[in-house]
Amino acid sequence: EAQVTQNPRYLITVTGKKLTVTCSQNMNHEYMSWYRQDPGLGLRQIYYSMNVEVTDKGDVPEGYKVSRKEKRNFPLILESPSPNQTSLYFCASSLTPDTFSNQPQHFGDGTRLSIL
Amino acid sequence: RKEVEQDPGPFNVPEGATVAFNCTYSNSASQSFFWYRQDCRKEPKLLMSVYSSGNEDGRFTAQLNRASQYISLLIRDSKLSDSATYLCVVKGRSNTGKLIFGQGTTLQVKP
């Protein structure tokens, strides 16, 4: 089954304790992206990756890191989490980032992070 | 001003009603347009792409007006299962693949 898998689904942790949210897709997609969703703000892009070893900042990258060592995986790293990073996070992938393509992005189930 | 604006609602309608959602976008260079559906803070799922000529998928009709930078979604014969948040989504011209999401419009269909 084609899917985007995120782990963990839920995490409660404390300020400053490094954490990683994993994201894996099995569709051989080139493009992967992380979003966070907050009430009243909608989904905002954190980082994206056009392909292996190619990553770039989205609209809200502060406090986050990513890596793309393999095509299928795109982990989101919070080196020193803070309470303002409490949010619902989604990983997404698509075949290519082509602006003129109407191909959809496929989203993972989401990870709900609470930073105390 | 937000890049993609939607009325957050909620829209409360009875079963069988026809309901329309609107969305405006600020970047005239935007190239691709979509409606996504999101249930109870679950993952967004593509409902339909939106084409300049307008397109229909069953009870759902999407329209795009480039001149007015306006996108619409019409749902006919509403079902209880249509209750969800509908996200207007725009992909820009920058070729970063970034999707720009509206805040979403919440629909509640009541029996």
Side-chain angles (χ1 to χ4, degrees), chain A residues 46-65:
Chain A
I46 303 171
Y47 267 94
Y48 64 94
S49 170
M50 304 281 243
N51 213 323
V52 176
E53 301 291 2
V54 182
T55 64
D56 211 341
K57 296 176 180 178
D59 295 320
V60 288
E62 295 78 21
Y64 304 95
K65 285 173 59 177

Side-chain angles (χ1 to χ4, degrees), chain B residues 64-85:
Chain B
L64 167 64
N65 184 323
R66 285 188 183 271
S68 302
Q69 293 178 211
Y70 169 97
I71 306 161
S72 66
L73 177 68
L74 183 77
I75 305 176
R76 290 181 299 279
D77 189 22
S78 301
K79 311 290 184 195
L80 296 176
S81 57
D82 293 335
S83 297
T85 297

Side-chain angles (χ1 to χ4, degrees), chain B residues 13-56:
Chain B
V13 303
E15 266 188 295
T18 295
V19 61
F21 305 138
N22 302 318
C23 163
T24 57
Y25 61 96
S26 61
N27 186 348
S28 60
S30 300
Q31 292 296 327
S32 302
F33 309 89
F34 309 90
W35 283 101
Y36 276 72
R37 170 190 168 131
Q38 187 175 27
D39 293 283
C40 294
R41 306 287 275 179
K42 293 186 177 178
E43 77 276 19
K45 292 184 178 177
L46 179 70
L47 179 66
M48 56 198 305
S49 300
V50 187
Y51 302 108
S52 296
S53 54
N55 47 300
E56 189 173 306

Side-chain angles (χ1 to χ4, degrees), chain A:
Chain A
E1 181 190 351
Q3 59 186 3
V4 179
T5 303
Q6 293 178 228
N7 278 297
R9 295 289 313 281
Y10 304 92
L11 179 63
I12 301 173
T13 187
V14 295
T15 299
K17 186 177 180 181
K18 180 180 177 180
L19 68 92
T20 299
V21 184
T22 63
C23 174
S24 180
Q25 50 90 8
N26 62 0
M27 296 168 279
N28 202 37
H29 284 172
E30 290 182 3
Y31 183 86
M32 298 185 74
S33 179
W34 277 103
Y35 297 87
R36 60 178 287 176
Q37 186 174 29
D38 302 288
L41 297 174
L43 282 98
R44 295 176 293 167
Q45 190 181 52
I46 303 171
Y47 267 94
Y48 64 94
S49 170
M50 304 281 243
N51 213 323
V52 176
E53 301 291 2
V54 182
T55 64
D56 211 341
K57 296 176 180 178
D59 295 320
V60 288
E62 295 78 21
Y64 304 95
K65 285 173 59 177
V66 292
S67 68
R68 189 90 181 274
K69 294 184 171 61
E70 308 159 283
K71 201 169 190 178
R72 64 181 294 127
N73 295 323
F74 189 45
L76 179 70
I77 302 154
L78 284 71
E79 292 271 3
S80 183
S82 62
N84 64 12
Q85 293 177 297
T86 293
S87 188
L88 178 59
Y89 292 84
F90 289 105
C91 180
S93 74
S94 65
L95 190 59
T96 74
D98 183 6
T99 295
F100 297 95
S101 164
N102 271 1
Q103 59 180 283
Q105 288 190 13
H106 300 265
F107 285 80
D109 289 341
T111 296
R112 190 171 291 281
L113 285 185
S114 293
I115 316 294
L116 305 177

